[in-house]
Amino acid sequence: MSDNVNNSDNFDNFDEFFENIGYRFDESFSGGWDRLTQSIKNIYDKTTDKFEDELALPVAQKYVNDALQKFVTDNVKAILELRVEMHDDWFRLYCTIDVAGIYIEVASNFSLIHVQLDRNVQRFVFGQQTYTDVLNLRCESIIKRQGIKLFIWFYHSVLKKDPLGFILSYINIARAKDEVIYLDIHRWLKKNKKIISTLHKVQVNYGELEEEQMILKTQINYRDLLAGSSNEDIIGDEDEPELMQGPIHPIDDATEPSQV
């Protein structure tokens, strides 16, 4: 892919435009802000008759994992690794946790039920398809190791449920109900003005999974783009990103719904 900022001038329609900016979600949806804003300006200058069309934005598996690393793993001490492997209509989630003398590597299969990324809500909803596989387990004591094995056996054999949802809720990463997991990411994004400003202009209505990529179904918020006068920039200086200072602490409000 070319690094030429003016490549957006060559796009004939919105679909081609968004197919070519998928890689700009690099560095956790932050890397191509200048190109994205310039592209929106250029498109706005050319046409306004397609703003209500739904657009397909492919996001490569690599960039999803980069986002998980930056916004979750780097900010939650107990999690050493969190990554996904995407396939057609499902994905496999791998998680490594080191807490209270317990080191455990687990994996489970999920479907993507719902995605909503807009100015008010930034949420992913997953449906768990398989019980969690314990890939590796080490503990500081034999008693603790046996206790964990008994805990997992009790969930699987007696409750006929999987403990992953309970564990994610307990460490305040997500909320679980039955086999459905709700992951609200507003707590990680709210201090990043670059991303929040983008979600005032481009919203995601739902998503689909394909091999090694996620397809986000997006829509231009044309009313926001048209809100300013014709003499004003559609995207102004106030939309430029504000660098985040210091560490992020997302755990406190992890189980609360996203707020405006």
Side-chain angles (χ1 to χ4, degrees), residues 17-18 21 24-25 32-41 198 202 235:
F17 161 64
F18 274 95
I21 67 167
R24 294 171 191 171
F25 273 63
W33 175 252
D34 292 337
R35 295 177 181 177
L36 176 59
T37 55
Q38 186 60 48
S39 297
I40 292 175
K41 290 180 182 180
T198 299
V202 182
I235 300 175

Side-chain angles (χ1 to χ4, degrees), residues 1-245:
M1 297 183 183
S2 172
D3 290 331
N4 188 346
V5 174
N6 294 322
N7 275 353
S8 57
D9 295 334
N10 299 322
F11 298 149
D12 295 327
N13 53 62
F14 282 99
D15 290 325
E16 183 182 357
F17 161 64
F18 274 95
E19 287 172 0
N20 282 274
I21 67 167
Y23 76 99
R24 294 171 191 171
F25 273 63
D26 195 6
E27 297 180 2
S28 305
F29 310 106
S30 301
W33 175 252
D34 292 337
R35 295 177 181 177
L36 176 59
T37 55
Q38 186 60 48
S39 297
I40 292 175
K41 290 180 182 180
N42 292 341
I43 291 174
Y44 173 78
D45 290 338
K46 294 177 181 179
T47 180
T48 59
D49 60 359
K50 289 190 176 182
F51 280 155
E52 292 186 345
D53 290 351
E54 192 173 73
L55 313 167
L57 173 59
V59 182
Q61 175 179 290
K62 175 186 183 302
Y63 303 134
V64 173
N65 285 328
D66 286 347
L68 290 173
Q69 176 71 38
K70 179 176 181 179
F71 289 110
V72 182
T73 307
D74 289 350
N75 298 291
V76 182
K77 185 177 181 181
I79 296 181
L80 302 184
E81 182 186 41
L82 189 66
R83 63 181 176 87
V84 296
E85 289 181 357
M86 296 181 178
H87 305 281
D88 289 334
D89 297 326
W90 67 281
F91 69 94
R92 187 161 177 82
L93 175 69
Y94 293 87
C95 183
T96 301
I97 299 174
D98 187 359
V99 61
I102 301 169
Y103 174 93
I104 185 169
E105 299 174 14
V106 297
S108 187
N109 296 348
F110 292 86
S111 61
L112 180 61
I113 295 177
H114 180 64
V115 177
Q116 182 180 353
L117 300 172
D118 56 39
R119 70 179 69 192
N120 298 319
V121 176
Q122 297 94 51
R123 176 177 298 148
F124 290 84
V125 182
F126 309 123
Q128 191 167 358
Q129 296 182 332
T130 64
Y131 281 168
T132 300
D133 296 321
V134 178
L135 307 179
N136 192 5
L137 174 62
R138 299 197 301 267
C139 298
E140 60 186 11
S141 70
I142 296 178
I143 294 176
K144 186 174 291 187
R145 178 184 175 89
Q146 294 303 319
I148 293 173
K149 287 185 175 182
L150 178 61
F151 171 78
I152 295 173
W153 174 86
F154 178 78
Y155 257 85
H156 288 173
S157 301
V158 179
L159 298 181
K160 305 299 182 182
K161 297 170 59 178
D162 190 80
L164 183 61
F166 168 79
I167 294 170
L168 292 177
S169 298
Y170 180 78
I171 62 177
N172 284 342
I173 294 299
R175 294 177 294 120
K177 183 176 181 181
D178 297 325
E179 303 303 319
V180 178
I181 294 176
Y182 300 82
L183 176 62
D184 286 293
I185 62 175
H186 177 75
R187 59 195 184 274
W188 291 303
L189 301 185
K190 61 186 178 181
K191 293 185 179 180
N192 192 314
K193 290 187 177 181
K194 178 196 305 183
I195 295 175
I196 296 301
S197 180
T198 299
L199 292 177
H200 276 70
K201 298 168 178 66
V202 182
Q203 69 182 45
V204 176
N205 299 323
Y206 64 99
E208 298 174 350
L209 293 174
E210 295 184 357
E211 198 69 25
E212 296 189 350
Q213 67 176 355
M214 178 188 299
I215 307 298
L216 298 179
K217 302 297 184 175
T218 63
Q219 187 174 25
I220 297 289
N221 292 328
Y222 67 94
R223 291 182 178 84
D224 290 304
L225 297 180
L226 299 175
S229 68
S230 59
N231 294 327
E232 295 177 342
D233 288 337
I234 298 170
I235 300 175
D237 294 338
E238 68 276 7
D239 296 315
E240 289 301 311
E242 177 182 276
L243 295 178
M244 292 180 287
Q245 301 296 326

